Amino acid sequence: MSLIPTASQTVGPFFNFALTANPSLGILARAGARGERIRLAFRVIDGDGAPTPGDALIELWQADARGRYGHALDPRSGDADPNFHGFGRLETDAHGECVFETVKPGPVSDGGGAAQAPHINVTVLARGLLKPLYTRVYFAGEPANAHDAVLALVPEPRRATLLARPVAGQPDTWSLEIRLQGEAETVFFDV
Amino acid sequence: MREYPGTRPGSQPEYLHEAYRATIRRAPAQPPIRLPHTRSELTGPVYGHNPIGPADHDLTRHFAEPPQGQRIIVAGRVLDEDGRGVPNALVEVWQANAAGRYRHAVDTHPAPLDPNFLGAGRAVTDETGNYRFLTIRPGAYPWRNHHNAWRPAHIHFSLFGTAFVTRLVTQMYFPGDPLIPLDPILQSIPDQDARQRLVSQFDVSLTEPEWALGYRFDIVLRGRRATPFEEGAK
């Protein structure tokens, strides 16, 4: 039997009472979580430079501070940080922004013996998106970025769209703008 | 290596579908870059940190009084591409009330809110992939996409499945709805059969006497039996 996966449809503008009513889904690192705690701020803007006012949501999936995913397919999952939950989900506010509380992930195996640079997997859903957009967050200044196989797939001038940068005057806070379309459009992936 | 097959042509919408106007300034202009599937894509959120309550699947019992509208049962199976049930998959649903109004601050359609209807529910599939919701049939509503634009009655579905790449957000429609051929969101899917699979089927065997009509909606997530879920295959 070979079935065809069900077609995607937009999440629409009215998801928040079902999907993002629980703001604790923005907190991946609970008390006692290992590693470097960070706040990761996103801003989502469209092709006109306008923010997505409450009608987009961002989901994160990431490894813990030592690069372990809390999932059975990670052979080290048994040793994953019990105080870290790798999934987060927030809606963007009236300014197109949301902020997650997490830890900086460790390097993750690519499954073949090489390490991937620390990164966070991101899904963007919104009114006007008929299917999810997938991207990754890397960290500016991270030496391992130079050897990351996924970053190497991205034309060099566009790599900066994937790099979160420290926010001046706000310790431990990183930010990234997700530009859906147009100048400096974020790199999205076909997964 | 990619352990999840790619998209069959026409079975999924493109990002840009001009008839759905909100795509015009939100669809990326650059093609997405194809990723190999690493541990990051092959793992995915595991449900369990936020327990499902006993009434979460029953949208008619979230308040003391029952909501207005035609009571319905919506049930089906979550399957992989080989037709195997996907167990323990989180299914989240949300919808408008019987009058076509969402309980959302931005929905200003002048139809009544129902104090006894929230319109959001959750369930987890059983060991063979079955899920079941009790709710009321949602109403159609206007949406200003074009002159006299009305969304066909629909229920939103959100599923995670087993990996980051199996995420699915979709909408379920009702058979015989005259708005279906006019809806740019459903019509964004090029393939007729793929569109038809988003239309639920009335099912008398799901229907409960003296109680509620039954609609069947099966959902297929990416993934195959051949997907080798062991370390050596990565």
Side-chain angles (χ1 to χ4, degrees):
Chain A
M1 187 190 292
S2 183
L3 302 177
I4 296 172
T6 301
S8 176
Q9 295 273 265
T10 179
V11 75
F14 299 135
F15 54 80
N16 95 325
F17 64 98
L19 300 185
T20 52
N22 178 2
S24 73
L25 283 175
I27 302 170
L28 289 75
R30 291 190 282 259
R34 284 189 288 244
E36 179 186 342
R37 285 179 171 268
I38 59 169
R39 288 161 48 86
L40 181 59
F42 290 93
R43 180 165 181 260
V44 182
I45 59 173
D46 70 11
D48 293 322
T52 55
D55 60 5
L57 67 91
I58 289 179
E59 292 179 348
L60 305 185
W61 170 238
Q62 71 163 94
D64 69 14
R66 294 191 296 168
R68 289 146 165 79
Y69 284 107
H71 184 279
L73 277 188
D74 188 330
R76 303 183 302 173
S77 65
D79 195 27
D81 186 345
N83 294 314
F84 180 76
H85 188 75
F87 174 71
R89 174 160 77 185
L90 289 174
E91 69 195 57
T92 59
D93 65 13
H95 308 290
E97 297 172 355
C98 59
V99 183
F100 292 89
E101 295 178 30
T102 183
V103 296
K104 193 172 172 190
V108 170
S109 166
D110 67 358
Q116 304 186 69
H119 66 276
I120 297 175
N121 310 289
V122 177
T123 305
V124 184
L125 300 161
R127 179 180 73 89
L129 291 181
L130 284 161
K131 50 189 177 180
L133 286 171
Y134 297 102
T135 186
R136 285 182 170 199
V137 177
Y138 287 85
F139 294 87
E142 169 66 47
N145 289 345
H147 311 291
D148 184 84
V150 167
L151 278 177
L153 295 172
V154 177
E156 202 282 331
R158 299 190 67 202
R159 284 179 204 160
T161 69
L162 302 176
L163 299 180
R165 295 178 187 282
V167 178
Q170 295 182 44
D172 307 319
T173 301
W174 298 72
S175 73
L176 183 68
E177 200 158 71
I178 295 180
R179 295 172 177 253
L180 301 177
Q181 183 192 83
E183 193 181 345
E185 180 177 304
T186 295
V187 169
F188 298 105
F189 294 110
D190 170 8
V191 303
Chain B
M1 114 179 270
R2 286 173 65 102
E3 302 184 2
Y4 287 84
T7 304
R8 252 64 68 89
S11 69
Q12 296 286 342
E14 300 296 330
Y15 289 110
L16 179 62
H17 183 70
E18 292 192 1
Y20 173 24
R21 282 174 31 213
T23 67
I24 294 173
R25 299 310 273 156
R26 291 191 169 187
Q30 306 269 356
I33 293 174
R34 190 175 161 90
L35 270 198
H37 287 167
T38 72
R39 190 167 289 167
S40 298
E41 288 73 36
L42 296 173
T43 57
V46 177
Y47 196 71
H49 63 294
N50 203 356
I52 300 281
D56 282 6
H57 73 286
D58 186 347
L59 285 71
T60 71
R61 287 203 294 146
H62 290 166
F63 297 91
E65 298 293 322
Q68 298 287 332
Q70 172 85 61
R71 191 184 300 111
I72 61 171
I73 293 159
V74 176
R77 284 186 82 198
V78 179
L79 304 162
D80 69 12
E81 292 177 63
D82 284 325
R84 290 183 308 164
V86 179
N88 201 35
L90 175 64
V91 184
E92 295 166 292
V93 296
W94 68 103
Q95 63 170 88
N97 70 20
R101 179 89 183 262
Y102 284 90
R103 193 182 274 251
H104 187 288
V106 174
D107 185 355
T108 54
H109 174 39
L113 279 169
D114 183 341
N116 295 310
F117 191 67
L118 171 62
R122 306 186 300 166
V124 171
T125 56
D126 68 14
E127 64 279 3
T128 53
N130 290 291
Y131 74 88
R132 183 175 183 275
F133 289 99
L134 205 61
T135 184
I136 51 94
R137 186 180 171 119
Y141 59 84
W143 65 302
R144 296 197 178 106
N145 180 72
H146 53 276
H147 174 66
N148 213 7
W150 292 77
R151 292 297 328 277
H154 61 276
I155 299 176
H156 295 266
F157 275 70
S158 163
L159 295 98
F160 285 89
T162 52
F164 181 70
V165 301
T166 59
R167 187 82 175 93
L168 174 69
V169 173
T170 190
Q171 300 180 28
M172 181 203 102
Y173 300 89
F174 289 87
D177 191 326
L179 294 169
I180 282 177
L182 306 177
D183 181 47
I185 291 180
L186 178 54
Q187 299 301 323
S188 69
I189 303 161
D191 182 70
Q192 158 72 21
D193 291 340
R195 291 196 297 271
Q196 191 58 39
R197 288 192 290 271
L198 294 188
V199 181
S200 60
Q201 293 181 296
F202 171 70
D203 188 336
V204 75
S205 72
L206 278 177
T207 299
E208 294 194 3
E210 322 305 326
W211 183 244
L213 297 174
Y215 290 88
R216 175 167 295 281
F217 183 54
D218 292 336
I219 296 164
V220 181
L221 300 180
R222 293 173 75 190
R224 309 202 63 126
R225 177 178 284 278
T227 301
F229 279 149
E230 63 265 4
E231 182 62 1
K234 290 182 191 168

